[in-house]
Amino acid sequence: MHPNPVLLVIAHGSRDPRHAATVHALVRRVRSLRPGLRVETGFLDFNVPSVHGVLESLAAEGVRDVVALPLLLTRAFHAKADIPAVLREAPFRLRIRQADVLGPSPLLLHALDRRLYEAGLAPADKSSTGVVLASAGSTDPEAIAVIADIAREWRHTGWCAVRPAFASASLPRTEDAVRELRAAGCARVAVAPYVLAPGFLPDRIARGAAEADVLAGVLGPAPEVARVVVDRYDQARLPRLTALGA
């Protein structure tokens, strides 16, 4: 019986020590969901171990199969260019499959709800609360469109209104979306960071939430996020059906 592929979680990395600490907390939760699965963590920048370093170590141990999972919420530049480039430099004896990014997923909407409730809202507040879905931002039109789609889908779960906002590269900014929801007549306004870990851009989102009534925490090691990681791993490791065989 062949062992399961090693799961390599690929995180962006940050000079902010909270970032790596949050990534490691999420990976611990993933391990708790799938005992026996080997899960490693590699960073693209700023933190160690690097993705390349982890891959070299795995190859030296004799590992053959790896599922590389981008710890990203949208398919933007890092998922399309940076990560494939790093994986192409891996030792040739490794068989690597790149898993899909985490979002979009209904589980992530549940995680967003969880963080808002932890910040003080209740399910009964939904119909009178406008929410800013605040993401890091991207120059990739596909990623921006996905955030807008998620906002529309989340609105249909009962919130008064949901507006997307971005910390960089795109508009509107968090503070502008907060004011728009106030002007639209929402009784209260909440900001939900659609980001995985603390850092420079999440801090910018927090500053933009100064006029909001509620600021949720980052998604971090929410149970739902860990479940998405496991789901993406399973999707990547299972044999892919061809169009003719499906």
Side-chain angles (χ1 to χ4, degrees):
M1 182 176 179
H2 294 290
N4 285 323
V6 171
L7 170 57
L8 172 58
V9 173
I10 300 178
H12 185 274
S14 171
R15 292 186 178 90
D16 189 323
R18 297 173 298 167
H19 176 93
T22 302
V23 170
H24 291 312
L26 173 58
V27 169
R28 285 194 296 272
R29 191 178 285 273
V30 170
R31 290 188 181 118
S32 73
L33 289 178
R34 192 59 63 87
L37 172 63
R38 181 172 179 181
V39 186
E40 300 289 342
T41 309
F43 295 90
L44 289 174
D45 207 352
F46 301 118
N47 301 103
V48 293
S50 68
V51 175
H52 182 74
V54 174
L55 292 172
E56 291 279 358
S57 295
L58 291 174
E61 289 179 34
V63 170
R64 294 297 304 275
D65 292 295
V66 176
V67 169
L69 188 147
L71 204 60
L72 301 168
L73 294 171
T74 59
R75 270 185 47 79
F77 182 78
H78 292 303
K80 294 177 179 179
D82 282 356
I83 291 175
V86 172
L87 297 181
R88 282 195 295 270
E89 297 174 357
F92 70 91
R93 70 188 311 274
L94 290 176
R95 292 189 294 255
I96 302 175
R97 282 162 281 185
Q98 182 174 330
D100 290 336
V101 297
L102 303 184
S105 166
L107 285 170
L108 296 178
L109 295 183
H110 292 311
L112 288 165
D113 283 340
R114 172 189 293 275
R115 292 301 188 229
L116 285 170
Y117 299 152
E118 290 171 350
L121 291 178
D125 297 324
K126 270 193 162 186
S127 62
S128 58
T129 302
V131 182
V132 178
L133 179 69
S135 75
S138 173
T139 57
D140 188 308
E142 178 188 350
I144 298 303
V146 165
I147 298 300
D149 288 343
I150 292 169
R152 282 191 291 270
E153 181 179 351
W154 199 21
R155 162 68 181 82
H156 292 150
T157 67
W159 294 103
C160 173
V162 179
R163 300 285 175 86
F166 307 94
S168 68
S170 310
L171 295 174
R173 294 285 181 257
T174 302
E175 52 269 34
D176 297 324
V178 168
R179 293 178 190 126
E180 288 175 13
L181 290 170
R182 288 262 189 245
C186 296
R188 68 183 64 77
V189 177
V191 173
Y194 190 60
V195 294
L196 287 167
F200 176 75
L201 293 178
D203 283 349
R204 182 180 287 178
I205 289 171
R207 291 193 297 273
E211 297 179 19
D213 301 295
V214 174
L215 171 62
V218 300
L219 294 174
E224 297 86 355
V225 179
R227 284 176 57 196
V228 176
V229 170
V230 171
D231 287 348
R232 296 292 186 256
Y233 168 80
D234 286 339
Q235 292 161 6
R237 75 182 175 87
L238 294 174
R240 296 186 183 277
L241 296 176
T242 65
L244 290 177

